[in-house]
Amino acid sequence: NNFVTSIPVCITRLTSLKELYLHDNTLKSLTGIEHLTALTKIIVSGNRMKGIPPNMKKLVNLEECDLSNNELKTLPKEIGGLKKLRFLHIDGNLLKCLPRQMIAIRGMKRLVLDRELLADEVVSQMRNRGTFVSAHPMTLLR
């Protein structure tokens, strides 16, 4: 709740940073996130992000990502390159479908999304592979 609108440049220089918590701010983008390649956890829920940069694929160590309660309409196909991703929260957004490339994330353990996405083919395939899918009614904060 610091009204942070973008990731400060001084944070993007912390290349050994493992966890980043910027939830409940006014973030509009994740510009500069690609420099934090050691990140294993990022919590940016409750912001005003409309998109996720494709260069987020450079976060090769990312295991947990909370993008819930933003204004996301799509996820970049490059999210499928995050092979270590285990937990993904995307509920409370404006998503209508998920990128097919997410099927490549074989180790995904938990996916939290809006109930409207349950019928998505990607979600079905992930469930069949053993990913626990938790669905919520659409609950946008904005």
Side-chain angles (χ1 to χ4, degrees), residues 119-132:
D120 190 274
E121 180 185 336
V122 173
V123 174
S124 296
Q125 289 188 32
M126 292 178 83
R127 284 177 103 158
N128 290 341
R129 202 173 49 226
T131 299
F132 177 75

Side-chain angles (χ1 to χ4, degrees), residues 39-132:
L39 274 184
T40 59
K41 183 176 188 175
I42 183 169
I43 309 296
V44 289
S45 58
N47 279 287
R48 296 185 181 158
M49 293 186 301
K50 295 184 187 311
I52 301 299
N55 60 12
M56 192 169 172
K57 69 181 177 187
K58 294 182 179 180
L59 305 182
V60 295
N61 295 300
L62 195 62
E63 297 175 8
E64 184 173 348
C65 182
D66 188 345
L67 301 169
S68 61
N69 298 311
N70 276 285
E71 300 169 7
L72 302 175
K73 292 182 181 177
T74 62
L75 293 176
K77 64 182 181 182
E78 289 82 2
I79 198 166
L82 300 175
K83 305 295 186 201
K84 292 185 179 180
L85 194 60
R86 303 293 173 255
F87 305 96
L88 179 61
H89 298 254
I90 52 173
D91 54 301
N93 281 290
L94 302 169
L95 300 168
K96 301 287 185 223
C97 63
L98 299 179
R100 183 157 191 70
Q101 291 80 356
M102 281 183 63
I103 296 168
I105 307 172
R106 297 248 175 238
M108 180 79 72
K109 297 200 179 308
R110 183 179 176 124
L111 176 62
V112 181
L113 44 72
D114 292 320
R115 190 173 293 151
E116 292 77 10
L117 286 171
L118 277 178
D120 190 274
E121 180 185 336
V122 173
V123 174
S124 296
Q125 289 188 32
M126 292 178 83
R127 284 177 103 158
N128 290 341
R129 202 173 49 226
T131 299
F132 177 75

